[in-house]
Amino acid sequence: MSSTCSSDDDGNNPNDNSQEIAQIENTVQTGNWRVSSYVDSGQNETNDFNGYDFTFDPDGTLTATNGTTTYLGTWSVTSSSNSSSDDDNDSDIDFNISFPVPDSNDFEDLNDDWDIVSYTNTTISLIDISGGNGGTDTLVFQLN
């Protein structure tokens, strides 16, 4: 009898975030975005992405271009399945970014399953706390 409660509780979590995930997806698909802030473990590296417009397409394609150089990657917004992550963020929604670039490329720094700190129609604030060295990275996209 007691197993019924346990399975009910576990089944409801993914549905709780679906509306918010759809809202974030719709927001980010509204135009061109720029990196207004990128701090890698205390080091401001925003300039690495100056001049790049980021486009989040409905098919999951992520394009970053500065008119001369273009990077193609993927993006998604998912419900975090890793419950061992004890962030201040209650929503447990990940903003996933992946660019297939070498480790030495600046865009490799963006590859992560970022936690969403906050979002509006014009700003998306993301954070990642490294499991290894405990460093904190923050990434802020601003609608262009």
Side-chain angles (χ1 to χ4, degrees), residues 64-84:
T65 185
N66 64 4
T68 310
T69 306
T70 299
Y71 293 100
L72 291 177
T74 59
W75 74 278
S76 63
V77 180
T78 57
S79 184
S80 177
S81 59
N82 184 359
S83 58
S84 69

Side-chain angles (χ1 to χ4, degrees), residues 4 55 62 73 80 83 87 100 136 138:
T4 330
T55 307
L62 172 56
S80 177
S83 58
D87 300 335
T136 300
T138 58

Side-chain angles (χ1 to χ4, degrees), residues 1-143:
M1 284 198 240
S2 63
S3 65
T4 330
C5 288
S6 159
S7 65
D8 284 350
D9 292 343
D10 293 342
N12 290 334
N13 286 342
N15 296 335
D16 293 343
N17 293 335
S18 62
Q19 190 172 8
E20 189 174 4
I21 288 172
Q23 196 172 19
I24 295 165
E25 289 173 339
N26 290 335
T27 297
V28 80
Q29 294 173 40
T30 58
N32 292 328
W33 295 78
R34 293 223 172 181
V35 172
S36 61
S37 175
Y38 174 63
V39 178
D40 184 357
S41 299
Q43 295 236 147
N44 188 334
E45 298 181 12
T46 306
N47 289 339
D48 292 347
F49 307 101
N50 276 356
Y52 281 92
D53 287 324
F54 291 77
T55 307
F56 299 88
D57 291 325
D59 67 358
T61 302
L62 172 56
T63 306
T65 185
N66 64 4
T68 310
T69 306
T70 299
Y71 293 100
L72 291 177
T74 59
W75 74 278
S76 63
V77 180
T78 57
S79 184
S80 177
S81 59
N82 184 359
S83 58
S84 69
S85 171
D86 251 348
D87 300 335
D88 293 334
N89 186 351
D90 292 334
S91 66
D92 288 329
I93 295 175
D94 288 340
F95 196 100
N96 308 291
I97 296 175
S98 178
F99 285 103
V101 295
D103 287 349
S104 58
N105 188 296
D106 290 334
F107 279 79
E108 203 283 327
D109 289 341
L110 302 182
N111 293 345
D112 219 322
D113 55 341
W114 297 87
D115 292 322
I116 298 172
V117 176
S118 64
Y119 67 94
T120 67
N121 289 336
T122 58
T123 306
I124 298 172
S125 297
L126 308 171
I127 191 169
D128 181 62
I129 300 169
S130 170
N133 62 10
T136 300
D137 299 344
T138 58
L139 175 62
V140 179
F141 285 103
Q142 192 85 34
L143 186 62

